[in-house]
Amino acid sequence: MTVLTDPGRGRAAAAATPETKGGRWIDHWEPDDEGFWARTGRRVAARNLVFSILTEHLGFCVWLLWSIAVLNLNSVGMQLSVGQVLWLTTLPNLVGAAMRIPYTFAPARFGGRNWTIVSALLLVVPCGLFVYAIENPDIPYWALLVIAATTGLGGGNFASSMANITHFYPADRQGLPLGLNAAGGNLGTSVTQLAMPPLIVAFGLVAVGWVWMPFILLAAVCAYFFMNNLRQATSAYTLREMGAICRQPQTVVMSVLYIGTFGSFIGYSFSFGVLIKSQFPDIKGADFIWLGAFAGSLARPLGGWLADRFGGARVTAVDFLLMAAGIGAVAAAVRAGSWPLFLAAFLLVFVTTGIGNGSTYKMIPAIFKTKALERVDTADPAAVARAMATARRNAAAAIGITSSVGAFGGVLIQQSFRISLEETSGIGPALVGLTVFYGLCMLLTWAVYLRKVRVGDTRTSLAQAGV
C-alpha cells in the first residue's frame, strides 16, 4: 500500500484500501482520518459490525437458554425445588458477568476476528451439554448446575464484541454502531423468550439445545471469511495495565452507571416473568415476557444516536430520571392492581434501560479521548495520534470491565425482588430501593460530567468537551 503524506494535516493518510498482510489482518487503520474513513474505513467497519452482531446475538440466545428451560423441566421428569430452579437461572448470569473480564482482553491478545471465531464455536459446548442433560434426566443436580454455568460463555461474548468494534469506528461516531452492536446481542434475550416456548411444544425441550448449533457454526464461518483483525489493536494487556484501568476513577463511575442501565435490563429480563406471575397470577406471563427485552434492545441504538447528537452525559442524566419515573409508575400499578398500567410502565422502564445502555457506551470512548487530549500538545500531530491510540485501547478495556460489573448488577436486581417477595410478599420495597438508586445515578452523572468546574479563567464540564 502506498502511504501519502498530507502536508496540511502533518500526518500520513491512507490510500484507497487498508494494508493487509497474512490473510485477514489489517496493518493500517486510521478511522479518525476523514479521508481514510470516507474511502474505505466505513465499509470495512460496517462489514465487521454485521458479523460481530450475529455472534453476539447467538451468545445472548445461549446465555438465556436455562431461563426458559427451567419452566419445562417437569416435562422430562426433573423435579426441582424453587430454590434449585432459581440457582439454575442465577448461575449463568454470574458466570456470564465473570467471563466478560477475560473476554474483554481476548481480542487484544488474539485478534478480533480470530476471537470471534473461537467465541462462536465455544457456544456449541453449552448447547451440547444441554442436550445431554435433557436426555439424561437422572443427572445429579451438581452436574446440572455445571452445565447451566457453561451458558455464561454466551454472556462473555458481549464484552469481546464491544471491545473489538470500538477500534473500528471514529471516536466521535461510536454511539450508533456500538448501540447497534449491543442491540443485536440484547435481542437474543427476547428471541429466546419468544421462540423457545412454541419450539418446545412442537419438538420437546431437547430442541432448545439443538436449534442453535447450525446458526453457531454459520456465525463462525462468516467471521472466518468476512471479519478482520486490526494489527494496532492487538497489544496484549499486562496484569498491571488491567489493574490500572480498573482503578481509574472514570472506569469506576461508568461501572456504577452501567449497573443502573444494563444491570437493570438483564435483571428485569430474567425476572419479568416471575414478577408477572407473582403480581398478576391470572395473566399468562409467557405471552408477554419477551416484550420487555425486545423493547429495551430496540431502544439501545436510539440511545447511542441521541448521545451522538446531544452528548452521552446529558442523555444519561435525563434517562435516569425517566427510569425512576417508570419504576414509580410500576409501583402505582401494583397498588392499583392494574395489569395494563403494569405492563405499559414496565415496557417504559425497559425502553429507558435500552436508551441508557446506548448513551453510557457512547460516553466511555469520549471520556478517555477527552482525558488523553488534556495531557498532550494538540499542535503536535504525532503526540495527538499516540494519545488517540492509547485512549482507544483503554476505552476498549474499560468497556469490557464496565460490561462485567453491569452484568453483576443484574444479579443484584434479581436478588432485590427475591428478598422483597420473601420478606414482604410484595415487590414494593424493591421498587422503592430502585427508584432511589436511579436518582443517585442521575446525581452522579451530573456531579462528574455535567457540573461545571473552573479551568483557568473559564467554567466548563466534561459534557461540553463531548462526553
Side-chain angles (χ1 to χ4, degrees), residues 72-115:
N72 299 273
L73 292 179
N74 289 342
S75 66
V76 295
M78 291 187 183
Q79 304 295 328
L80 301 178
S81 68
V82 174
Q84 288 176 318
V85 167
L86 286 174
W87 271 112
L88 285 176
T89 59
T90 301
L91 199 57
N93 201 352
L94 287 169
V95 173
M99 292 303 297
R100 289 186 171 195
I101 296 296
Y103 270 58
T104 294
F105 301 103
R109 178 64 180 85
F110 304 106
R113 163 186 172 268
N114 295 349
W115 184 250

Side-chain angles (χ1 to χ4, degrees), residues 5 13 20 31 55 124 134 172 198 222 243-244 378 394 428:
T5 300
T20 61
T55 301
V124 174
I134 299 305
D172 58 352
C222 288
T378 55
N394 290 343

Side-chain angles (χ1 to χ4, degrees), residues 9 12 105 124 153 178 270 334 425:
R9 301 185 66 174
F105 301 103
V124 174
L153 293 170
L178 287 179
F270 274 107
V334 170
S425 299

Side-chain angles (χ1 to χ4, degrees), residues 427-452:
I427 61 174
L431 296 176
V432 171
L434 288 166
T435 302
V436 172
F437 174 63
Y438 296 145
L440 292 175
C441 286
M442 187 277 295
L443 291 175
L444 180 62
T445 306
W446 172 83
V448 178
Y449 302 113
L450 296 173
R451 181 172 59 92
K452 291 185 177 181

